[in-house]
Amino acid sequence: MTAEPPAAARTQPPSHTPAAAPLVATPEVCPLPDSGFECDFQKRLKAAQDYAETRPGTVGFVLRDRKNGATWRNDHADDMTWTASTIKLAMVVNLLERHRAGKIKLSSDDRKLMNAMLHTSDDDAADSLWKKYNGTTFNAAFGKYGMTDLVPQKGYTATFPYWGFEKCTANDLDRLMNYILDTVPADDREYIVGQMRQVGAVQQWGVWGPDSGAKNGWSEEEGGWVMNSVGFVGQDARYTLAIMNNLKGEGAYDEGRATDTEITRILFR
């Protein structure tokens, strides 16, 4: 007969306990995994997109990373929108191109008008150059700069086409900005970029800011205010951003300016 173990032995816990399950790190959730942007930037893009959807009217924007080629377009990036004064940027590209080719000779007064268009978005300067150097010639060239959706609008003025009545998309402005940075000859590019970095107070919103440059356009059009901003951000202009905000009567200048500036802040500041 086998003796029973002492009571203490019968109640003693096992000499070892099962090992705790190893901790497994939760993988980071990236909201836009197919965008080509790093995870942190994906979160910024998603935040900017969500913010834009809460704002008056509709907002189309395109962000491009010129270093790795990633490009993000939101759902309104191909909406046709009044260009307002953003078209003046394409006008300057064309004037410099024609001058370099020997087709025109820009005078010192012409260059002062170009400076005024870029610095304070001067409408009278744009009118003078459009009339002097043939608006039809300008428009015929804009597609070369990537503005393939651009359409001049009839029925608003006796002059047709006219820089003040054109529509394009945020995709157009994105392609224009990248044409300037990648294709325009170095001397002309440096002039344009330098002007965009030093715009007057009237254009210090939207994409404009530290280590950035912008050309903005704002106007009250048929259908309400539009507030647009296109430019570049970062060392060596690594990023480009094009924003077209069609307020559709749901807001005006102040709301649109705030929208463009906040989208840029969310992405970069």
Side-chain angles (χ1 to χ4, degrees):
M1 174 174 182
T2 306
E4 292 217 12
R10 292 200 303 271
T11 59
Q12 187 175 353
S15 60
H16 68 277
T17 55
L23 294 175
V24 178
T26 303
E28 186 174 16
V29 177
C30 302
L32 304 168
D34 298 326
S35 66
F37 288 89
E38 295 179 357
C39 195
D40 178 65
F41 227 122
Q42 291 179 38
K43 294 174 182 177
R44 291 169 175 262
L45 275 167
K46 181 65 165 58
Q49 180 175 272
D50 290 347
Y51 167 77
E53 290 175 358
T54 71
R55 300 299 293 165
T58 55
V59 185
F61 71 91
V62 182
L63 174 70
R64 187 183 297 264
D65 183 340
R66 298 176 59 245
K67 184 174 180 179
N68 68 17
T71 304
W72 173 257
R73 299 173 174 87
N74 80 338
D75 291 341
H76 293 286
D78 58 358
D79 288 3
M80 292 294 288
T81 304
W82 293 104
T83 64
S85 291
T86 57
I87 197 69
K88 294 169 185 169
L89 187 58
M91 288 177 62
V92 170
V93 173
N94 182 249
L95 288 167
L96 293 172
E97 179 182 74
R98 282 197 263 173
H99 176 81
R100 185 174 288 273
K103 296 179 179 179
I104 63 173
K105 184 173 178 58
L106 293 171
S107 67
S108 59
D109 286 341
D110 292 336
R111 292 186 180 274
K112 289 177 183 177
L113 293 173
M114 290 164 58
N115 292 348
M117 281 203 301
L118 293 177
H119 190 68
T120 58
S121 203
D122 190 290
D123 288 350
D124 291 338
D127 284 346
S128 296
L129 291 167
W130 190 266
K131 181 178 180 180
K132 181 175 180 179
Y133 291 111
N134 191 340
T136 300
T137 303
F138 280 111
N139 260 97
F142 291 159
K144 175 183 174 182
Y145 313 145
M147 304 189 78
T148 53
D149 298 326
L150 181 79
V151 179
Q153 303 296 300
K154 293 182 177 179
Y156 294 94
T157 180
T159 301
F160 180 84
Y162 174 59
W163 71 266
F165 294 103
E166 313 240 7
K167 289 185 178 182
C168 76
T169 67
N171 283 318
D172 284 317
L173 295 183
D174 162 68
R175 291 187 292 258
L176 171 64
M177 191 68 251
N178 282 277
Y179 179 88
I180 291 168
L181 294 172
D182 295 335
T183 306
V184 167
D187 289 349
D188 294 342
R189 178 177 67 249
E190 289 174 10
Y191 163 73
I192 295 171
V193 166
Q195 290 290 316
M196 294 177 72
R197 289 187 185 277
Q198 302 176 45
V199 294
V202 71
Q203 293 194 94
Q204 291 178 7
W205 50 272
V207 183
W208 183 86
D211 203 16
S212 305
K215 178 69 195 82
N216 295 340
W218 60 98
S219 60
E220 187 172 13
E221 303 282 3
E222 180 181 74
W225 277 82
V226 294
M227 299 291 294
N228 306 324
S229 186
V230 58
F232 53 86
V233 182
Q235 186 176 6
D236 299 323
R238 174 172 177 173
Y239 300 97
T240 58
L241 178 60
I243 307 170
M244 299 196 84
N245 184 3
N246 183 358
L247 286 125
K248 298 184 175 180
E250 298 173 12
Y253 176 90
D254 289 340
E255 291 87 351
R257 174 173 170 150
T259 295
D260 293 3
T261 302
E262 180 64 8
I263 287 173
T264 308
R265 188 202 65 77
I266 291 170
L267 292 173
F268 297 108
R269 311 301 183 208

